[in-house]
């Protein structure tokens, strides 16, 4: 259903990313782990959620949400080392020790990195084939060789941010990409050309970019784009990488700029549709909650506001419908169906206890 609405609406980009879903009041929720959150700068309890969204100028829709089970190998190995004995004379002790080792091995083999989850997502999305023309965009936390190989095998292109410490071949030597950017900025500032890029909002923004096809270890020949947002090149550059050797700098930046809607998707789901409100503890229940949150986000974008005229607030530009108005409409529709069901049950002669049991079974 989402794919049909996205066709013919201009450039669409499929974005891969991940986020922390905080559950400070639910330490027993599936896949949560107490750890330091570098984004918020504090200790928190959260599972990691890997996401895939599709975005164009008017819409951003979730396509896949997958929970990453936390990696506790260091803690488990520490426990095994601490409880190790030189000799196990009793059969029961040997059996328990063997079971502990099997659990450690099972958890080690079942653990999946975020990059591995992203590869599985892309494989499923490409098998479904709903977005045959959409390129991929992601940051360096998702970039991996198996991922880009899979995308390229599907005949599609990708754009990724590159770490500043990545080595590239430059004039016969392997050098850090940030060192090359600094050298170009100081000695050859004219190599950064102004590029006007049309953003999702329809506005144009000027960038100053240097682009060249380079060779990276393991990744081979790719196109590198070094991007500045200031004309005097005084800002920190951004390094973009793509397999599309024929793309000009403007197109690479345009595709990369469509990666940012995934951040909007994360914040919207957390603040408006209850992504972090789950208190379920089982794996399947938590996955269902996350995926339905993505569905709710898509529904809210498409729901017309049905409030009274007095609810059309002045701060909404061009009579734009607010999220609160859309939530009101959805809540009213859901309550209407609930009331209609109760009315039908009463009409059949059922008692209020029977109706209550039907609506809210114990």
């Amino acid at each position: 259903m989402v794919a049909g609405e996205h066709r013919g609406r201009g450039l669409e980009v499929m974005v891969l990313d991940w986020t922390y879903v905080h559950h400070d009041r639910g330490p027993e929720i599936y896949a949560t782990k107490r750890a330091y959150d570098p984004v918020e700068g504090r200790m928190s309890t959260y599972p990691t959620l890997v996401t895939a969204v599709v975005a164009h100028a008017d819409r951003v829709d979730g396509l896949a949400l997958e929970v990453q089970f936390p990696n506790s190998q260091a803690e488990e190995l520490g426990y095994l080392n601490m409880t190790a004995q030189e000799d196990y004379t009793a059969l029961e002790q040997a059996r328990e020790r063997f079971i502990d080792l099997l659990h450690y091995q099972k958890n080690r083999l079942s653990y999946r990195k975020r990059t591995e989850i992203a590869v599985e997502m892309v494989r499923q999305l490409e098998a479904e084939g709903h977005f045959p023309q959409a390129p991929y965009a992601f940051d360096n936390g998702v970039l991996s060789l198996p991922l880009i190989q899979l995308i390229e095998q599907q005949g599609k292109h990708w754009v990724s941010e590159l770490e500043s410490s990545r080595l590239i071949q430059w004039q016969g030597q392997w050098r850090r990409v940030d060192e090359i950017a600094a050298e170009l900025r100081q000695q050859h500032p004219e190599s950064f050309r102004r590029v006007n890029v049309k953003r999702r909002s329809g506005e144009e923004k000027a960038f100053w970019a240097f682009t060249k096809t380079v060779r990276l270890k393991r990744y081979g020949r790719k196109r590198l784009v070094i991007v500045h947002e200031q004309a005097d090149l005084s800002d920190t550059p951004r390094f973009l990488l793509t397999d599309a050797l024929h793309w000009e700098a403007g197109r690479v930046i345009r595709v990369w700029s469509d990666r940012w809607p995934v951040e909007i998707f994360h914040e919207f789901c957390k603040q408006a549709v209850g992504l972090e409100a789950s208190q379920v503890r089982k794996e399947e229940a938590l996955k269902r909650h996350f995926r339905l949150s993505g569905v709710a986000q898509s529904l809210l974008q498409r729901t017309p506001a049905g409030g009274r005229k007095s609810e059309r607030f002045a701060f909404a530009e061009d009579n734009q419908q607010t999220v609160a108005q859309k939530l009101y409409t959805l809540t009213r529709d859901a309550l209407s169906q609930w009331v209609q069901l109760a009315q039908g049950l009463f009409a059949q002669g059922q008692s209020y206890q029977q109706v209550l049991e039907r609506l809210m079974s114990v």
Side-chain angles (χ1 to χ4, degrees), residues 11 159 193-199 205-210 225-229 238 240 242 247-260:
L11 175 66
V159 176
R193 299 183 178 181
R194 177 176 175 137
V195 179
N196 293 324
V197 178
K198 188 175 182 180
R199 310 177 75 179
K205 181 176 180 180
F207 296 89
W208 284 261
F210 168 86
V225 182
I226 304 175
V227 184
H228 283 275
E229 297 187 19
R238 188 180 300 278
L240 304 181
T242 179
W247 283 6
E248 70 281 1
R251 187 171 183 180
V252 176
I253 298 172
R254 175 69 176 88
V255 172
W256 170 251
S257 67
D258 274 4
R259 178 210 166 272
W260 297 110

Side-chain angles (χ1 to χ4, degrees), residues 1-181:
M1 294 174 65
V2 168
E5 295 188 2
H6 277 249
R7 295 191 185 100
R9 303 293 295 273
L11 175 66
E12 59 182 3
V13 178
M14 299 174 71
V15 188
L16 305 173
D17 200 8
W18 56 276
T19 185
Y20 295 139
V21 183
H22 295 89
H23 288 294
D24 291 323
R25 293 180 295 176
E28 301 301 325
I29 291 176
Y30 172 81
T32 57
K33 182 178 181 180
R34 185 76 176 171
Y36 180 75
D37 181 357
V39 177
E40 297 194 358
R42 63 182 179 89
M43 293 295 293
S44 180
T45 303
Y46 55 83
T48 301
L49 186 66
V50 183
T51 58
V53 306
V54 60
H56 61 72
D58 301 320
R59 293 275 190 267
V60 51
D61 290 285
L63 298 178
L65 297 93
E66 187 66 36
V67 184
Q68 180 193 29
F69 196 82
N71 184 8
S72 302
Q73 294 181 30
E75 293 85 346
E76 293 176 352
L77 186 59
Y79 168 79
L80 291 175
N81 291 332
M82 183 179 63
T83 58
Q85 301 180 20
E86 294 184 0
D87 188 18
Y88 295 89
T89 56
L91 181 61
E92 182 63 22
Q93 286 183 333
R95 188 184 71 85
E96 292 180 357
R97 183 62 176 180
F98 184 66
I99 292 176
D100 290 341
L101 293 173
L102 287 178
H103 278 296
Y104 171 76
Q105 180 69 358
K106 174 180 177 294
N107 293 337
R108 189 180 70 85
L109 295 176
S110 61
Y111 174 72
R112 297 184 300 165
K113 299 179 181 179
R114 292 191 298 264
T115 53
E116 295 173 334
I117 297 175
V119 170
E120 294 177 4
M121 283 183 172
V122 172
R123 183 174 289 110
Q124 178 180 349
L125 291 172
E126 291 304 314
E128 294 171 353
H130 295 306
F131 304 92
Q133 305 300 325
Y136 284 87
F138 39 84
D139 61 19
N140 52 28
V142 180
L143 176 64
S144 69
L145 185 60
L147 176 62
I148 65 173
Q149 287 177 338
L150 176 60
I151 296 174
E152 293 171 12
Q153 288 170 2
Q154 302 299 319
K156 304 182 75 171
H157 297 301
W158 54 269
V159 176
S160 172
E161 189 174 17
L162 192 65
E163 295 177 352
S164 60
S165 59
R166 180 75 66 169
L167 297 178
I168 66 173
Q169 195 173 62
W170 187 265
Q171 296 178 351
Q173 297 180 346
W174 291 102
R175 300 179 57 187
R176 287 172 54 120
V177 66
D178 56 351
E179 294 177 356
I180 297 172

